[in-house]
Amino acid sequence: MYACAKGTEGRDAELVLRRGQDFKMTITFDRPYDIKQNDITLMFNLGDDYKPNKSLNASFRVDETGATKYKPKCWGATVIGQKGNSLTLSVFVPATVPIGEWEFAVQTIVDVKDGKNIVWQYDHTADAIDIIFNPWCKEDWVYMEDDVWRTETVLNDNGTQYYGTYSKVGVSAWAYNQFSYGILDAALHLVRKSYGFQATPAMASPVKVCRKIAQIVNSSDDDGVLVGNWTGKYAGGVAPSTWVGSENILLKYMKTGKPVRYGQCWVFSAVTTTVCRAIGLPCRSVTNYSSAHNTDMARLSIDVIKRQVGRKIEEVRDDSTWNFHVWNEVYMRRPDLNTDAMKYDGWQVIDATPQERSDGVYVCGPAPVVAVKEGHLDVGDDTSFVYAEVNADKVEWTNSNQLNALVETKRYRNVIGKCISTHKPTGKPYVSSSTGNLMTGDDRMEREDLTKCYKYEEGSVKEKEIYRAAERKFRLMNGDDSDPAKAAAQPQTGNLDIEIEEIDDITVGSPFTCKVKVKNTGSKSLRTADVMLKVMYKTYFDAVTGIAAESTVDNVKLRAGDCKEFTIDVTREEACERPEDEFNFEVKADVICWEDERDNATKDLDFRLRKPDLTLSGPATCTLSDTIRVEASFKNPLSVPLTGCSVSLAGGFAPVGITKETMEIRNIGPGKSWSTTLNLCPKEAPRGAKARAVCLGFDSKELPDVTGKFSLELVEEAAVKITK
């Protein structure tokens, strides 16, 4: 399926092998080979220099009887045919060799003189032999019995990236293109670079290789592939939301030798998926909604400290909760971790997004998903960080003026780690809806829910037991032997409660209204309160960037059981003021009680506006030699012109004629439409695949990150009948 395995476009064909398989080799001599007189020795070596290490090189004689059966962990070769001056061999590659570009040589005894063998050697310098992991081989640690998931996570060169919030899910198609020209070379280059360009036996271990990939895909420590940027300012590079495929990122990195600017979590994850699939590691991108980022070593919880200052509530926090975060899972056995009582085989979390340092560098994993679920924080790499991402408690603390102490006021046990998602194993390009709401059961997005793989049912006895044990283990791992169960106090609860109504499905360019209810849950006391409402611009990674609207209502009287509703309006212009935040907002309500600070209450709700889609249409089928026309169109939903507009395409088609991979286009006026015709020719790779897809991304200053998708079925060339 690899484009490089076929010599076209001025390129020599490369031999790509999965370890644990045999391949045929034909050697042509300058005279007929005499099996009785001549012996052949094959030599394989990984790296530029010969190193006397049994796993980095092999030297062995060819069995000329054809009777030898080779063991899964041993090199070997046998003669399977002879014709004239040519000899055909079957060569077996062990399932345990390091991956990489192997050099090859042939030695043969051509004569005997003075009792000594005369040996000639041929060094095959034309090209190296690429050896990669083999999920089809039972002896390889990455063996995957499930053919459906193996097809999806190794062979599918398309997929999805899920984003947004779990109440307003967005999904875009992504072109992984792991079989395209230059991608396997790039993947193997990254493995070599991560080991300092020194061949090492560690390259045989998928455990060690996937951790190195997660490290080298970000540029933080070793000039890796992508520079992370969460500032909203992308001068000197490309906005993360502009990318729709991995191929251009990796090829640009290989061409320039410099990190590509810029990426955020879904881009890091998508490039990691491409690199892993290219070298034979089963890999999928995974999105966690309401994803915790725990920064301290004291607690597993996500902590927010609140304090009343005059008639306002101020917050202090180091931890954060992202609307979504995207990482990867790779599939492998873990004999390095398994015990008689527990097996940690299966999916392992790795994360290339630079968040926290692990062993001094920005990398995360591999952490067994089953270890995360069972709370085994000391098993694998960075398992405690992943556990907090999906199962931390969110704790509010109040710096009490009355008590002059920090008091736990609220503990939310089931708000972290929602709707953990990956693409269903269709093995095909993504064709479904671009939006959904998982709170209402709207799930038409080819989404596989993995939440139960990461944790037991929220609120169940089992889940609570695991959390308590994990909290204890976490503290012990960080030098604290105190018992968190004894230290925990029952959170104080006040008489005032807040409810924020879920925001409807609002399209970008529309005004909206937020509704908030405040209730006195006490049975006796009258409460007087000031109610402060804000709608804030906020990034998906939990950074407030400004205020869209705010409102204060003073001296609100609430008798026992009373409930009052308040609203705050955001105009069309206010809603569109900060497009760089991708139209993410937070509604925040603070209630300050006059009679007792313990009745103070706060509540917030994250949401985002829905962006329109690019519409693509074209033929249902084509052949590999066809040039097709795909119509693309888009309507500006805003009341202002879209400026700095561009479109970029990625996937299984090459642009033809005036169609380019990236095209600048004219400004689009308010409410106006844009359309164009794309001339495309299907790429040859992946050979054997029955479908081709293209992902199209639209970018502008006022409305970034609009995507569209199109796919078709490949058919055979029609037979041409010639009649006389």
Side-chain angles (χ1 to χ4, degrees), residues 294 298-301 375 377 387 392-393 411 465-478 480 482-485:
N294 189 28
R299 301 179 183 87
L300 273 177
S301 55
L377 306 189
Y387 181 90
D393 285 354
R411 180 175 287 264
E465 287 177 353
I466 288 175
Y467 186 86
R468 285 193 293 268
E471 177 74 28
R472 171 73 168 157
K473 173 68 73 174
F474 184 74
R475 295 194 183 197
L476 287 172
M477 289 168 61
N478 292 288
D480 180 359
S482 63
D483 188 344

Side-chain angles (χ1 to χ4, degrees), residues 505-519:
D505 190 16
I506 307 296
T507 304
V508 167
S510 304
F512 58 89
T513 298
C514 303
K515 296 180 181 180
V516 177
K517 294 179 180 179
V518 180
K519 185 176 183 179

